[in-house]
Amino acid sequence: MEQSWVGTWWPALRRVVAGPDVPPARTPPERWPRLARFLRPAGLFAMVGLFAATLAWEYNRHLPGIVPPLFAALTIAPLLVLPRRPLLAWRLTMVALATCTFNAPPRAPWPWSPVLVLGSLLVLAIVAARVDRPMLVWVGLITVLPVLTLVHPNNRVGVLLLVLVLLVLGDLVRGNRLSRHALAAQTELSEREQERRAVLEERARIARELHDVVAHHMSMIAVQAETAPYRLAEVPDGARAEFTAIAGSAREALTDMRRLLGVLRSESTGPQTAPQPDLTDVPAMVDAARRAGLAVTLHAPAPAAGAPAPVGLAAYRIVQEGLANAARHAPGAAVRVSVRPGARGLAVRVENTAGPAGPSTAERGAGHGLTGMRERALALGGTFAAGPLDDGGYAVDALLPYDGEDGNG
């Protein structure tokens, strides 16, 4: 118990007396930047006024020579450093309380100037809200020493109660501030975790869709390899063995993909038996968007139908998400969808003009649609870009590589 006391309270006392200062809080000019040019001159004017009032009060005590200006400067000094160095301000206050009693009337209720009394209470309140609890106890004990020694006995109880109230309120303020900071940090952590989970779920969904597409083709390879020897007139024994090996490898690959799908699917997600959409379904989707009130035009050359199934699925989903974003973030805007096969792959672009209410705000969306589109493009080895246009609209561009031919139009 004694070792624990020494390890807790002795370092706290050293920090109070001669340790580094506590981190400063945001000053009013930092909290309200627009008022900074008014707050700083106002603060300087207030300090000059308090200095003059203290100086007049000290001269009325008939102090000799340079003593009144020194006492007035010592009274104002804690208030000058309080915004940046609260603990240093408290130390200067203790020095002022101990020295500014020179030539005070013996029966005076207060041996200090009113400015020093009010400033001391302000400094104590600020420090109480900035230091931890062990330091707060030492600050309170050291503060009451000049009160018990120099204050008139009739005023000691009231002053002690006032100091105690300030210490308790300061500790409550500090605890509330720490709780808000902890809550903000936890909220940020939760948001990051939700974003990461959304990305993982989107990747798993993409993997499931790719599985459905690729598994269909693997099954066709296996069936064709097994039936090829029966459809050919003459098949050498070596070729028959190769067909058998191809069919076996295809079925093994299909089994491995089904096992992978079992890992990707959650318990609440059943198998998807509906056929996956492709490029041939894009016109129907655009027609449905028109019927829903979206002003959309489609530019898709005929050779686009030759794209592989994974590329067609990714292009369909990108167009689908692009139309949804345009309808959500730029209602009433004109949308142009372009699906163009080229030498480097399938180029997909969804762009919208600025909505009647103003520029597009799709980049400020809270969902994860852009993340899903980017994941689909990158999964195929392609590229993806999205951003605002000069005219206030928004555009989504994806290049999905495959061995295609140049299209026209």
Side-chain angles (χ1 to χ4, degrees), residues 174-376:
R174 177 178 177 273
N176 181 62
R177 186 179 67 253
L178 294 179
S179 298
R180 287 189 286 105
H181 289 173
L183 179 60
Q186 184 62 35
T187 301
E188 182 180 359
L189 182 62
S190 299
E191 291 177 352
R192 291 180 180 177
E193 181 63 23
Q194 291 177 359
E195 292 178 358
R196 187 184 69 86
R197 186 177 302 173
V199 171
L200 294 178
E201 291 177 354
E202 182 66 17
R203 288 180 178 178
R205 189 169 70 89
I206 294 172
R208 289 195 296 267
E209 292 180 350
L210 290 177
H211 165 271
D212 295 338
V213 175
V214 177
H216 169 72
H217 292 286
M218 294 298 296
S219 299
M220 294 301 298
I221 293 173
V223 172
Q224 290 175 356
E226 289 178 346
T227 60
Y230 301 99
R231 291 184 282 103
L232 299 177
E234 295 182 1
V235 180
D237 293 338
R240 186 182 298 275
E242 290 183 4
F243 279 125
T244 303
I246 292 174
S249 298
R251 293 198 177 279
E252 289 179 2
L254 186 59
T255 301
D256 292 337
M257 291 189 64
R258 286 172 178 168
R259 291 173 180 171
L260 177 61
L261 181 64
V263 175
L264 293 176
R265 276 204 174 104
S266 61
E267 294 181 358
S268 59
T269 304
Q272 299 177 355
T273 57
Q276 296 297 328
D278 55 18
L279 287 175
T280 59
D281 298 308
V282 171
M285 176 175 56
V286 171
D287 291 338
R290 291 196 190 104
R291 291 193 297 270
L294 192 63
V296 54
T297 57
L298 173 64
H299 300 268
V311 173
L313 174 62
Y316 180 91
R317 295 303 187 194
I318 290 174
V319 173
Q320 184 181 46
E321 186 63 34
L323 292 176
N325 284 343
R328 183 183 307 114
H329 301 294
V335 184
R336 184 177 186 272
V337 177
S338 175
V339 182
R340 301 172 59 87
R344 298 177 54 195
L346 188 67
V348 180
R349 179 180 177 87
V350 181
E351 62 177 289
N352 62 269
T353 60
S360 172
T361 58
E363 69 275 13
R364 299 194 295 270
H368 304 279
L370 294 179
T371 300
M373 290 189 281
R374 181 177 292 106
E375 293 288 342
R376 290 183 183 277

Side-chain angles (χ1 to χ4, degrees), residues 21 33 61 66 86 108 150 163 169 186 214 299:
D21 216 313
R61 293 170 56 186
I66 200 174
L150 302 172
V163 170
L169 291 179
Q186 184 62 35
V214 177
H299 300 268

